[in-house]
Amino acid sequence: MKKYNKTSRLIALALSIAMLIGVCPLQAFAADNSSNPAQSVSAEKSAVKSEIVLKENFGSVKLYKNNNLSINFDRFREDLFNAVYDATKSTPNNLTFKDVNWQYDASRLSTIPIWQALEFVDSTNVQKSIAEGGSFKFRMILPETAEHSGAKVEFTATVEKAPLVESKINFTNKAITYSKDANVLKQELFKSAIDWKNSSLPNNEQFGIEYFTIEYYAQNILSNGKPGGIKRWVPIEGGKFALLNYPAMSAGDHQVRITFKGNSEFTSAVAEKTVSVKKARTAVNVKTMDKFADEKLPADFVTTSVKDNFEIFTIFIGTTSATTGSLCVDLPDSITENFLIDLLNPIVKLVIGKSMDDIINNGITVAEINAVVNSQALKDLVTKLNIDLGIIGTLLNILEKLPPSLQKFNISFSDPKIAGLYNVVALAINPNYETGFGVGILNNKMRNQTTELKYNQEIQNRKLTVDEAKNFDFKATLSYQGSPVADQSVVSYLYSGVQSNGRPYSSKTTPPTEPGTYTQTVCIIGGNYMASPVTRTFTIVK
């Protein structure tokens, strides 16, 4: 068995340690045969013997960053090469920084060097990186080529972080306009909320919004849409954070935080300010159209210029086919689905004797509305439950502003179901927008094709006895396409004639039963179906 002296054992131990930390022993402990390791190294293999000579005084080298905040190692290599390479004394004397390779000692101990590429970063922080700055030992290595031999030199140099301009963000007092698109809001904040003239920041045309983070101080929203009371900084578009939901920025005053991430010339910076977000505007378009009264309004009867979630109130004011005034308010779906309906039901019924369902289905007068709104029971409920009447409050405000001439109308809560000509006013409600307003005309037409008025019972030979007249069915039925229509109340009657005693007879409701000669006329007044009148003359005898 061979015996190893003390020196051999130390070398073996050092090699083992180097292997454990992932460094090639031949690289870490390569022999340097130059006469002056700190100044030059030569090789014997090529025809031209290389020798790298360092400048005597080269001082420190600055470490710059790229605009994406990564280290600019290409610039560092060039600056380091220019700082240490003495072309007047080296062979070859025409090298550039691209001709050589670099390593640095990443060891935090002064005893065992660990040579790494300049870009090396130890995620465990056991070994140090160039980004830390300070004093480092470097290797400049010239690879062997056909023209010259390889060479290398080791030296120590100080790495300094390049000085940066101190960034500062100042705000303007400008308000911005709301947009559903969070990217548009961020761009508006970027362009208008930052006082570029009085801030210390790079040119915003060259270094755009991607170098900035824009947030606002938001409160979380619960599943029922109510505020949750937990505030935090979130992106303009909102999102889910710590299992809580945060809304996108809305119209109103908001605390805004803008952070500049920094770049190759400027430090990072952050600033906060309350910024006003004005309500946006939307145009409302109402179709002017003709349709039959029993047809539904098209989905695009009312449209808005901005595609967002609006509560649409559509008010129809006109005259029906029966020449009576009509006021209809078509409510958004949310108002009938709102939990307030259930809460208000007992109060409304107590005050005016109608339930909310009755009101929505059959209508309400303005007087009844005022009675409910001004009732103490409603005020107590609103105070007790801290209820925000929201859309219902908006509706009440609309109805309160109706002109006196419309105060006597019965208000129905739907689109018009009766034929007639209506003026249409549509309102688009959204807390982030000014109330949108649009007008149009709706002509609800009566159907007059395949409609028919027909007597329920024919009078044989145009003669009835007194007994037959008492039990006779004088009614007529209005039919459409062969089937009776649902609303027969539009069928009107007129009975006229002369009784056998010479007295005239006329009635719109009661058919004659006394002897005489009579004419019965049946016509349609109002409704959605028009049919030609029918007339018959008959005699009643004893």
Side-chain angles (χ1 to χ4, degrees):
M1 178 180 295
K2 292 185 179 181
K3 294 183 179 181
Y4 296 95
N5 57 29
K6 183 176 182 180
T7 301
S8 298
R9 288 196 299 272
L10 288 175
I11 293 174
L13 178 61
L15 288 172
S16 299
I17 294 173
M19 291 178 69
L20 286 174
I21 61 176
V23 179
C24 174
L26 294 179
Q27 179 185 16
F29 299 101
D32 187 349
N33 296 320
S34 64
S35 59
N36 187 352
Q39 294 294 318
S40 65
V41 175
S42 62
E44 306 293 342
K45 293 183 179 180
S46 65
V48 178
K49 184 178 181 180
S50 299
E51 184 178 16
I52 300 175
V53 179
L54 303 178
K55 294 177 182 178
E56 293 184 2
N57 298 305
F58 44 79
S60 61
V61 181
K62 290 183 171 55
L63 192 64
Y64 292 87
K65 290 185 177 182
N66 297 307
N67 286 325
N68 63 3
L69 303 183
S70 63
I71 295 175
N72 190 341
F73 283 106
D74 288 338
R75 178 171 180 175
F76 180 74
R77 288 185 180 91
E78 184 173 8
D79 290 349
L80 182 59
F81 178 83
N82 293 335
V84 303
Y85 174 64
D86 191 340
T88 62
K89 298 178 182 179
S90 297
T91 304
N93 62 2
N94 60 346
L95 296 177
T96 69
F97 79 98
K98 296 180 180 180
D99 296 319
V100 298
N101 298 324
W102 296 94
Q103 294 177 335
Y104 80 101
D105 180 10
S107 174
R108 295 192 183 276
L109 304 174
S110 58
T111 54
I112 304 175
I114 304 174
W115 298 105
Q116 302 285 11
L118 298 185
E119 289 87 350
F120 172 77
V121 175
D122 185 358
S123 60
T124 64
N125 205 34
V126 172
Q127 302 177 49
K128 62 182 179 180
S129 66
I130 294 294
E132 297 177 26
S135 180
F136 288 88
K137 181 182 282 187
F138 291 94
R139 271 182 176 177
M140 182 166 57
I141 303 169
L142 177 65
E144 180 180 338
T145 68
E147 291 78 21
H148 58 75
S149 65
K152 67 180 177 181
V153 64
E154 297 178 8
F155 61 91
T156 299
T158 300
V159 177
E160 293 182 354
K161 296 180 180 179
L164 299 174
V165 177
E166 189 71 23
S167 295
K168 184 179 180 181
I169 301 174
N170 285 324
F171 283 86
T172 67
N173 292 319
K174 294 180 181 178
I176 66 169
T177 301
Y178 172 80
S179 172
K180 180 183 177 182
D181 188 338
N183 289 325
V184 173
L185 268 179
K186 283 188 278 190
Q187 286 290 347
E188 283 297 308
L189 288 166
F190 179 68
K191 292 178 182 178
S192 301
I194 298 175
D195 184 351
W196 292 98
K197 183 178 180 181
N198 296 307
S199 296
S200 177
L201 293 169
N203 188 303
N204 64 339
E205 294 183 359
Q206 183 179 0
F207 300 96
I209 196 170
E210 65 271 16
Y211 288 87
F212 292 77
T213 299
I214 303 178
E215 303 164 294
Y216 85 108
Y217 202 52
Q219 183 174 189
N220 71 306
I221 298 296
L222 303 177
S223 58
N224 61 3
K226 298 294 183 181
I230 301 177
K231 293 186 175 182
R232 66 177 296 155
W233 293 102
V234 300
I236 300 302
E237 62 271 21
K240 193 167 189 175
F241 303 92
L243 302 179
L244 300 177
N245 291 312
Y246 290 83
M249 178 184 274
S250 61
D253 292 339
H254 297 278
Q255 189 75 5
V256 173
R257 181 169 72 183
I258 298 180
T259 303
F260 173 59
K261 301 174 185 177
N263 65 4
S264 61
E265 298 178 357
F266 287 79
T267 64
S268 61
V270 62
E272 300 174 12
K273 191 178 189 298
T274 298
V275 176
S276 293
V277 181
K278 298 186 299 182
K279 291 184 176 183
R281 292 183 177 181
T282 183
V284 178
N285 179 62
V286 181
K287 281 188 174 181
T288 292
M289 63 178 300
D290 294 335
K291 75 173 187 65
F292 289 107
D294 58 355
E295 292 179 329
K296 292 183 178 180
L297 288 170
D300 61 348
F301 180 62
V302 177
T303 56
T304 57
S305 60
V306 179
K307 302 302 180 184
D308 208 336
N309 297 320
F310 290 93
E311 301 288 356
I312 304 296
F313 290 85
T314 312
I315 303 172
F316 303 83
I317 304 173
T319 304
T320 70
S321 55
T323 67
T324 58
S326 176
L327 173 58
C328 304
V329 181
D330 192 13
L331 302 174
D333 291 340
S334 60
I335 197 168
T336 55
E337 295 171 357
N338 198 297
F339 78 101
L340 283 176
I341 298 297
D342 293 333
L343 291 175
L344 293 173
N345 250 332
I347 294 175
V348 173
K349 196 161 188 177
L350 176 65
V351 176
I352 63 173
K354 296 181 180 180
S355 69
M356 287 296 293
D357 291 333
D358 291 334
I359 291 172
I360 290 173
N361 293 329
N362 302 314
I364 185 173
T365 65
V366 175
E368 289 173 327
I369 289 176
N370 290 333
V372 174
V373 172
N374 295 317
S375 69
Q376 189 60 45
L378 179 62
K379 293 177 181 178
D380 291 343
L381 177 65
V382 171
T383 302
K384 179 180 178 181
L385 299 181
N386 192 27
I387 296 173
D388 179 5
L389 289 177
I391 295 171
I392 291 181
T394 302
L395 174 61
L396 295 176
N397 288 333
I398 293 171
L399 297 179
E400 285 177 354
K401 295 177 182 177
L402 289 175
S405 60
L406 299 178
Q407 296 289 316
K408 62 183 179 181
F409 282 18
N410 187 71
I411 303 170
S412 61
F413 293 97
S414 68
D415 62 277
K417 306 301 184 185
I418 304 298
L421 185 63
Y422 300 86
N423 290 311
V424 184
V425 179
L427 304 176
I429 310 295
N430 183 306
N432 294 317
Y433 296 83
E434 301 288 349
T435 299
F437 179 86
V439 296
I441 296 175
L442 173 65
N443 180 21
N444 260 1
K445 298 184 296 183
M446 299 176 72
R447 291 192 181 273
N448 56 15
Q449 301 293 325
T450 66
T451 57
E452 182 183 21
L453 262 179
K454 188 175 181 180
Y455 289 112
N456 294 347
Q457 191 172 355
E458 296 293 336
I459 301 176
Q460 299 297 326
N461 300 317
R462 296 189 297 176
K463 185 180 290 187
L464 294 171
T465 67
V466 171
D467 291 337
E468 288 175 335
K470 291 179 180 179
N471 298 308
F472 192 80
D473 184 0
F474 285 94
K475 297 291 185 180
T477 298
L478 173 63
S479 299
Y480 172 67
Q481 293 183 343
S483 299
V485 301
D487 183 13
Q488 295 291 324
S489 65
V490 296
V491 180
S492 296
Y493 301 87
L494 175 62
Y495 304 93
S496 62
V498 179
Q499 295 178 344
S500 59
N501 59 10
R503 299 177 61 181
Y505 181 88
S506 179
S507 176
K508 293 182 179 179
T509 59
T510 306
T513 57
E514 296 298 323
T517 301
Y518 305 93
T519 298
Q520 177 186 13
T521 301
V522 185
C523 64
I524 303 300
I525 299 178
N528 298 331
Y529 302 90
M530 174 56 69
S532 299
V534 292
T535 302
R536 61 185 174 184
T537 300
F538 59 94
T539 301
I540 300 177
V541 297
K542 290 185 178 180

